[in-house]
Amino acid sequence: MSEWKSRFRALAGHRLFWPVVVLAVMLLANTVYRPGFLAVQMRDGHLYGSLVDILRLSAPLILVALGMTLVISTGGIDLSVGSVCAISGAVACLYISKQPDQDSLGAMFTALAMALGLALVLGAWNGVLVAVIGIQPIIATLILMVAGRGLAQLITEGQIITINADPYRAIGLGHFLTLPLAIFIALGAALLIAAITRRSALGMIIESVGGNAEASRLAGIRSGRITFLVYVVSAACAAVAGFMITANVSSADGNTAGLWIELDAILAVVIGGTSLAGGRFFLSGTILGALIIQTLTTSVYAMSISPQTALLFKAVVVIAVCLINAPAFRAKLVRRKPGLPPADVSGDQRKERVPA
Amino acid sequence: MKSTRKFGPVVAALAAVLLTGGLAACGNSDTGGGSGTADDGKIVLGFSQVGAESGWRTANTTSVKDAAAEAGIELKFDDAQQKQENQIKAIRNYIQQKVDVIAFSPVVESGWDTVLKEAKDAGIPVILTDRAVDSADKSLYKTFLGSDFVKEGKLSGEWLVENKKSATAEVNIVELQGTTGSAPANDRKKGFAEAIAANPKLKIIASQSGDFTRAGGKQVMEQFLNSNPKIDVLFAHNDDMGLGALEAITAAGKVPGKDITIITIDAVKDGMKALADGKFNFIAECSPLLGPQLMDLAKKVHAGEEVPARIETEETTFTQEQAKEALPTRKY
């Protein structure tokens, strides 16, 4: 009996436990509302259903949030990702729309390379502003957030560029092994970032920069370089997300593509357990966070909550998720019941510093 | 020294912001020249545009500029970049320059009384275009020229009532609303609901906001299709949401235009193409080409003629056959 209790406590103590519970509860609520919600059917050789839609639509957010996780881990923030999405999507679509044969693979890869290249430059611009010149990240990236929207509009000349290219469409809508290709791209990026940061010392170095940049520098870590690097990675992730967003509807809309995705990404990172103050980061938590946010959006539509109340509904759910995630809040709830010792919260509450 | 090194890039960044965001504002430069009533007897029209936020708006701007050139009216154009203070500044400039007529598309509905009063005191007539203001004193402006969103919704609904009049079973309608709380979304929803009330078999089974965007329309339609096994009609508040929904419908293994009747509003080029291809069934036009009508009005109010307080933009509706005919000559 007590063994079960301690097992449960160990499980509940896992940092992914509460986000998983929240996600499960949301899916359950949807299923109660509409029993067919979880049903997945086979159609034209690929899977089809709400669950598959959630996976596909969350792919861009997962990508952006992964980049954001690294940035936030260094104690920074990247507000420009939405604009970078719009710019990369606009450049790629503009190039493809000018081709005589839009279906040519070569044209698509040239377009992707050009757009990705531009995004890397934009990421480097953020990196220089933050790491070299020392502007506060929120201000530095705000510049590109505002200017980037304008740049995207300039590229599209204020119009929506519609393309008719099957290879490009595949980025957002294609299928691989019966599942959406987009989710594999997001998963691939996640595995790549995880491998690079967790199989080498890089992840720890990033965390140490976020924990204490000066102490890391004194310990021999080039903090500036690391900071620069994470902004470039974030922009690259945003660019690929931009491809997915525009490919999903086969058109580039400089005005609305990736609008406010930076806020969703920050939320996903926070739900995932990474502190906004920097320090330790959790990639798997971020992915869960992104899935929770997309499930929430889909739930609003699936449960036909009226648009007027949808924003309030989302806000309430997000507050609930954040509170459940907060060890201090849970401890307070638990402490009310007699007989249970208060959970140890001291370790979670503070900014997690890596010894320099 | 250090501070200049720090601020140099910031200044550069700001310059970039101004450059990218404000290219259209270069139109400002031609507000400098000459005093209002030019000696050559040309009418001078000061026009303050909302911004350049959509293809619709760009077409609107082009229409005003072209029509002014054609009508021989000297146009002073200003792009307010979605900011009311810019617009108020532009209108004050026009008053100082003593232009003959002021026209503008208000960014927001409220807060115009003071500046409109200034224009009235200066004896300059004001024409509102595309969007209305909520001033209680209707004498502050001569007329409001713009689309009637309720009517657009109503025309869409009436076409559907006619189209489905022989339906024996219930007709399930899903609705993609525009940005929640915006005038076009509210009015189009209202007009459509009023029109379809004529046939109790027509039922709106789901209605959600797709924010006037393709991505929004697509995402919402996917869920509609998942949640509702039988959808007969889609009514989208603009073409873009309808175009997004097309993809969701195709992915669900249904044929747009046949399995699901699609009605939209706007008639932008991509929407008209979809209509001509048989993927949409009906579009109620919301025309941005109000330039010629505006120039007519400017001439009339300058000559002191009485004009109606509310003038609707000349708009029409399109069926698939009409779209095929109209498409080659569409301007936007």
Side-chain angles (χ1 to χ4, degrees), chain A residues 20-35:
Chain A
V20 168
V21 168
V22 167
L23 189 59
V25 166
M26 274 160 62
L27 292 175
L28 192 71
N30 269 300
T31 318
V32 169
Y33 185 83
R34 183 165 60 82

Side-chain angles (χ1 to χ4, degrees), chain A residues 131-276:
Chain A
V132 181
I133 301 169
I135 301 178
Q136 291 228 350
I138 196 165
I139 303 297
T141 55
L142 186 68
I143 295 172
L144 189 57
M145 175 186 175
V146 177
R149 268 294 145 206
L151 188 58
Q153 294 248 41
L154 207 70
I155 294 167
T156 59
E157 292 171 343
Q159 307 286 337
I160 297 176
I161 301 176
T162 307
I163 57 169
N164 198 0
D166 288 334
Y168 190 75
R169 261 173 72 91
I171 300 172
L173 293 170
H175 290 84
F176 179 69
L177 297 176
T178 76
L179 280 170
L181 187 59
I183 197 65
F184 287 101
I185 297 175
L187 204 64
L191 289 177
L192 187 70
I193 291 177
I196 292 174
T197 54
R198 292 306 185 200
R199 293 283 154 200
S200 74
L202 185 65
M204 210 181 68
I205 293 175
I206 292 174
E207 290 175 340
S208 77
V209 170
N212 190 333
E214 186 55 23
S216 320
R217 196 186 63 77
L218 290 173
I221 293 170
R222 293 177 192 268
S223 307
R225 252 185 220 188
I226 296 294
T227 309
F228 175 83
L229 181 76
V230 292
Y231 285 95
V232 176
V233 171
S234 172
C237 288
V240 180
F243 301 150
M244 283 179 187
I245 292 169
T246 49
N248 186 30
V249 283
S250 284
S251 61
D253 181 348
N255 216 18
T256 64
L259 193 63
W260 308 132
I261 200 171
E262 56 276 346
L263 300 184
D264 279 349
I266 293 168
L267 184 59
V269 173
V270 171
I271 292 176
T274 304
S275 161
L276 278 181

Side-chain angles (χ1 to χ4, degrees), chain A residues 34 43 48 50 53 56-57 133 143 154 158 160 162 169 173 248-249 251 255-256 294 298 300-301 304-305 307, chain B residues 9 13 20 23 52-55 58 180 208-209 213-215 218-220 222-223 226-227 240 247 251-252 270:
Chain A
R34 183 165 60 82
R43 184 167 289 163
Y48 180 87
S50 293
D53 285 341
R56 182 171 53 79
L57 291 169
I133 301 169
I143 295 172
L154 207 70
I160 297 176
T162 307
R169 261 173 72 91
L173 293 170
N248 186 30
V249 283
S251 61
N255 216 18
T256 64
Q294 184 57 48
T298 305
V300 167
Y301 303 141
S304 28
I305 294 165
Chain B
T20 47
L23 266 196
E53 77 277 13
S54 64
T58 323
T180 308
Q208 286 285 343
S209 169
T213 65
R214 292 190 194 188
K218 182 171 181 195
Q219 193 178 354
V220 177
E222 279 166 358
Q223 276 319 304
N226 280 326
S227 324
D240 282 324
E247 306 223 10
D270 285 338

Side-chain angles (χ1 to χ4, degrees), chain B residues 229-303:
Chain B
K230 182 176 170 283
I231 296 175
D232 304 300
V233 179
L234 163 67
F235 171 51
H237 286 186
N238 76 346
D239 286 344
D240 282 324
M241 289 192 292
L243 289 166
L246 272 189
E247 306 223 10
I249 294 170
T250 319
K254 299 200 163 144
V255 183
K258 296 209 166 58
D259 296 340
I260 297 180
T261 305
I262 302 180
I263 304 167
T264 69
I265 294 174
D266 262 5
V268 296
K269 198 154 217 160
D270 285 338
M272 289 293 277
K273 268 187 211 149
L275 185 60
D277 291 346
K279 290 175 181 163
F280 283 179
N281 299 74
F282 184 78
I283 298 182
E285 187 185 39
C286 177
S287 173
L289 306 181
L290 44 77
Q293 271 177 296
L294 175 62
M295 297 311 146
D296 264 6
L297 277 174
K299 281 180 187 163
K300 275 186 189 158
V301 296
H302 181 60

